Structure formats: C-alpha cells, structure tokens
Amino acid sequence: MTHVVQFSRTGGPEVLEYVAVPTREPGPGEVLVEVRAAGLNPVEWKQRSGLRPMPGPAPWRLGSDGAGVIAAVGPDVSGWAVGERVVISNAGGVQATHVVVGQGLLDALPDGVSFATGAGLGIPAGTAYQVLTSLGLAEGETLLVHGGSGGVGQAAIQIGRALGAQVVATASSANHDRLAELGATPVAYGDGLLERVRAASPGVDVVLDCAGTDEAIEVSLAVAAPDRVGTIVRGRDAAELGVRAWLGGSPDPLTEEEVALRRAAIPFVLGLPSWSVEVAAEIPLAEVARAHAISEEGHVRGKIVLVP
C-alpha cells in the first residue's frame, strides 16, 4: 500500500488527509519511486486553501518535488534501474510514500547529496533558473533579488553567482548572514531601500522579485529596465506595473520553453561544485497539516521537507 496526502475540499490545513491507497504499478515509460523526502512549497497551501484552483475532480493530491529510490520500472523505460537514487521534479502527487512518474521527470541524485537536498530542488531551483534565463542574466551583470532568504531567493543567488553575476539580495537583517554565505551582498528592507541598493551596487541589470511588496516593485523599476524585471508573486498585476511575470497569479501559463528550462535547472545545479539547500525542518509526512500551518505562517527561512 501507498500512503498519500490528498484533500477533497478547500480550506485550512485540517482538510488534508493522509490515506492509504493501492500502490500503482508503473506503465510504459513510467517509474515507481519510493519517496524518501518530499518538498513542501508555498503553492501547495495556496492550492489547498483554494487560492490556486486544482485541475480535475477531487480528491486532489499534492507535491511536485521529491527524492527517493526507484522501486520498479515499467515497459519501455531506458537508462533507469531499480535501486537508483533519483530527484523528482515537475511531477504530481509526490507527497506520498510511493509515486509513479514519467521517466523524463527524473534526474540522478549523486551519492553525496541527501534526499532532503534533492527534495528541495524542483520548484526553487527550477523557478530561479528559468526566470534568470528568461531575463537574460549574463556574466558580469548585477542581479538584485528581493526576498533573498526564501527558497527561490536562495536558489537565485546561487544560480546568479554560478552564471558569473554579482548579486545583491534584500531580506530582514536576521537573514543577512545566510545571504552573505551564499555570495550575495545583503540589503535590509524598509525605508531607504533604494539608497541602500544603489550603495551596494552602482548599477543593476536584472531583478527577480520574490517578495511582491510595492516597495520591491518600486525599487526594481528605479534601478533596472522594466523588461529585465521579473516577479513570481505579482503576476495578477504585473502587466499593469510594466514588469514581466511567471505564475504568481499571472493569467499567462508557462510556455513549453519555460517548462523545459525549469526541468533543465535540476541537472544544472546538481552539476555545480556545491549547492546548498537550507532545510528549515524535516516533518513526518503523516503530520503534513502541521507542516502546512508552519509554511502558511511565512516565518520559516529555508525549505520544509516531508519525510515518509
């Protein structure tokens, strides 16, 4: 049997169910993975609460990122074998003890990388890599990241540095040590932000907004050209603001190219000499409601991981 996280009505964390269902055998081109860690992303509590509608009929299952060990392979699968360690990204229903996914959604997890780190790659690294690539960040340029201490923000700092950019990142002062550790120049939020950003770097080429505040948008437009400012949280009014947006309430879905970039992020970051996922907490999968409540409060720095 497989235990899965699902919900049949929208609402608070209490609507989540942890239930047993028959384990599905993988079909052609599919792989059954025994999940060792599943990432929890803000989009999932937004889906559970009804802020982001789920497709299809209830019950709905959650989770797109995870890491584990291949338990079975279906017909026509090539390049994968039982027992291999893998990262899962851009999948569905990964918050479970076992999940069947297409072989194209897997990447090899190196022996020296923990399952928790692997589970923390998908949405944060995929989003950051796609957005920075779409905005054309190049070697020698300066990147400003608003909300640098969050999962996507931390990934953006590391990817920006790997691409040869200088990085300035905003966060509360309590998180400045983490930003500096990742190679960014930290800047505090609040009154005088524009002056502090300009003091940290005389020029900014690209901006990634992970904060969504009016302050962040105003500063972004003051330091960079609108077509090189992107937001992942103000999609609903990005066009009105004159900036680019990917999801975050945007009416425009990702293009095929953008989806491919998000998948390409995983082998890219796993191929870097070092990659850091700050794991804020490892919570038992059966306690997913508690994990959602913590995530929704928004005061956690780093990644919450669910462990079956």
Side-chain angles (χ1 to χ4, degrees):
M1 296 293 285
T2 292
H3 280 83
V4 303
V5 173
Q6 65 181 35
F7 63 106
S8 298
R9 59 186 176 89
T10 58
E14 70 278 358
V15 305
L16 294 171
E17 302 172 310
Y18 181 70
V19 299
V21 299
T23 300
R24 184 167 78 83
E25 293 297 320
E30 294 182 328
V31 174
L32 174 67
V33 178
E34 179 187 338
V35 180
R36 299 291 179 85
L40 178 65
N41 297 288
V43 68
E44 285 129 23
W45 65 255
K46 294 175 183 178
Q47 291 169 331
R48 182 217 74 224
S49 67
L51 290 174
R52 300 277 182 88
M54 293 286 284
W60 301 288
R61 295 181 184 175
L62 292 172
S64 61
D65 306 339
V69 176
I70 294 177
V73 297
D76 303 324
V77 169
S78 60
W80 298 108
V82 171
E84 289 188 288
R85 290 160 43 92
V86 293
V87 173
I88 307 166
S89 60
N90 202 33
V94 181
Q95 291 175 10
T97 56
H98 297 79
V99 65
V100 173
V101 300
Q103 63 177 335
L105 302 180
L106 299 178
D107 289 281
L109 180 67
D111 287 340
V113 180
S114 70
F115 290 114
T117 293
L121 295 179
I123 284 183
T127 300
Y129 183 80
Q130 175 263 305
V131 171
L132 297 183
T133 302
S134 297
L135 290 171
L137 181 66
E139 183 177 1
E141 292 191 316
T142 296
L143 166 67
L144 170 61
V145 180
H146 290 292
S149 63
V152 176
Q154 291 194 29
I157 292 170
Q158 295 177 82
I159 292 170
R161 296 292 293 150
L163 294 175
Q166 299 299 310
V167 183
V168 176
T170 69
S172 63
S173 58
N175 294 320
H176 284 190
D177 59 339
R178 177 59 176 170
L179 305 190
E181 178 185 333
L182 295 176
T185 300
V187 175
Y189 295 133
D191 292 343
L193 175 60
L194 177 58
E195 289 72 21
R196 288 192 294 276
V197 168
R198 285 176 169 161
S201 177
V204 170
D205 301 286
V206 172
V207 182
L208 169 54
D209 166 44
C210 305
T213 62
D214 290 342
E215 174 189 60
I217 297 296
E218 290 168 4
V219 169
S220 299
L221 292 172
V223 298
D227 64 347
R228 303 201 77 191
V229 176
T231 180
I232 61 170
V233 287
R234 289 288 289 272
R236 67 187 183 281
D237 58 352
E240 178 183 340
L241 294 167
V243 303
R244 302 175 67 181
W246 292 272
L247 303 179
S250 171
D252 300 320
L254 295 175
T255 66
E256 290 185 6
E257 179 184 3
E258 289 162 352
V259 171
L261 283 171
R262 293 191 176 209
R263 281 286 304 122
I266 309 307
F268 175 83
V269 301
L270 287 173
L272 295 176
S274 63
W275 182 264
S276 176
V277 173
E278 185 176 27
V279 178
E282 295 189 32
I283 297 176
L285 183 64
E287 299 177 24
V288 63
R290 178 167 69 89
H292 268 236
I294 295 171
S295 177
E296 196 166 356
E297 287 174 357
H299 302 306
V300 174
R301 189 182 82 181
K303 188 78 175 179
I304 296 175
V305 174
L306 299 171
V307 182

